[in-house]
Amino acid sequence: MPDPALERVLYTRNEIASRLRELAAEIRQDYAGLPPPILIGVLKGSVFFLTDLARELAMPLRLDFLSISSFSAAPDRGRVRIEKDLELDLRGEHALLVEDIVDTGFTLRYLLETLTARQPASLRVCTLLDKSSRRLIPVPVHYRGFEIPDRFVVGYGLDYRQLYRNLPELGILRRDES
Ligand code: IMP
């Protein structure tokens, strides 16, 4: 039974798991022969995705996390601040940034600029969800779980006012819940 807060389930836990296996196969192949990469999780939305992906990858890797706050309303729209920084030094490392969702692209642009300045050997982006129809800033996405329509989604890490992150599926939030 899907959660009653959802208007519609977009992806069940089985569909998510199956897509993750495909993504992991792609990533494993691309990083074969390289030193263990650092998977960078953006708290809190990417936590479930990152932990499932990391286990599915089944290869040597390191994990680190950062947390940010962003401002979605004018006049600070697009302003992002790091609240908790990484513990590992990225210089010379292969880094894979793991995001929950790329929407306008403001957050990702900030993260890419900030992390690139630390001179990693490589920096790629893996996002569970992509709402590319809403993109305002062009940003690179190397690995994408699902392309989704312009609706507000929750579950599998994504929240509305810090709720619904622990739903096992991904779904569109009912309008009367938001
Ligand atoms: P961007 O900077 O506009 O790309 O926004 C990215 C951030 O907005 C994500 O990391 C989420 O925190 C939030 N976000 C955007 N769309 C959704 C959604 O449909 N559900 C939950 N959070 C969302």
Side-chain angles (χ1 to χ4, degrees):
M1 266 290 278
D3 193 279
L6 298 181
E7 173 188 307
R8 177 158 70 90
V9 172
L10 280 180
Y11 298 104
T12 63
R13 68 198 305 172
N14 285 339
E15 287 167 335
I16 298 169
S18 145
R19 182 70 188 114
L20 254 65
R21 281 193 288 277
E22 294 172 354
L23 272 183
E26 212 182 312
I27 295 169
R28 207 181 306 118
Q29 195 175 356
D30 291 353
Y31 285 81
L34 297 179
I38 300 177
L39 261 57
I40 300 174
V42 184
L43 297 172
K44 308 171 192 149
S46 74
V47 162
F48 294 84
F49 177 42
L50 178 118
T51 53
D52 284 346
L53 182 71
R55 285 176 291 183
E56 201 57 60
L57 278 169
M59 64 187 226
L61 52 80
R62 283 165 291 167
L63 298 178
D64 207 348
F65 297 90
L66 54 78
S67 100
I68 52 169
S69 59
S70 47
F71 303 81
S72 52
D76 289 323
R77 184 157 196 207
R79 219 181 90 207
V80 182
R81 192 173 59 209
I82 292 190
E83 300 288 354
K84 178 224 170 286
D85 208 336
L86 298 175
E87 288 169 10
L88 299 174
D89 185 358
L90 289 191
R91 180 185 291 263
E93 304 287 352
H94 293 280
L96 180 60
L97 185 61
V98 181
E99 268 280 22
D100 54 353
I101 183 166
V102 184
D103 185 13
T104 62
F106 276 114
T107 307
L108 184 54
R109 177 176 67 176
Y110 170 83
L111 288 174
L112 287 174
E113 281 174 5
T114 305
L115 299 179
T116 300
R118 300 179 187 185
Q119 301 180 297
S122 71
L123 175 60
R124 289 186 155 205
V125 176
C126 176
T127 185
L128 174 64
L129 303 176
D130 192 351
K131 260 192 215 175
S132 61
S133 63
R134 281 181 38 92
R135 198 78 88 249
L136 296 174
I137 309 283
V139 279
V141 173
H142 304 93
Y143 308 100
R144 164 187 299 107
F146 303 102
E147 173 72 45
I148 59 161
D150 180 10
R151 298 294 308 276
F152 196 84
V153 298
V154 294
Y156 197 63
L158 286 97
D159 75 307
Y160 174 67
R161 298 192 172 169
Q162 299 300 327
L163 289 173
Y164 312 115
R165 292 193 197 276
N166 58 329
L167 300 186
E169 62 271 302
L170 273 160
I172 296 173
L173 189 64
R174 293 178 94 91
R175 289 195 197 276
D176 52 0
E177 300 285 335
S178 59

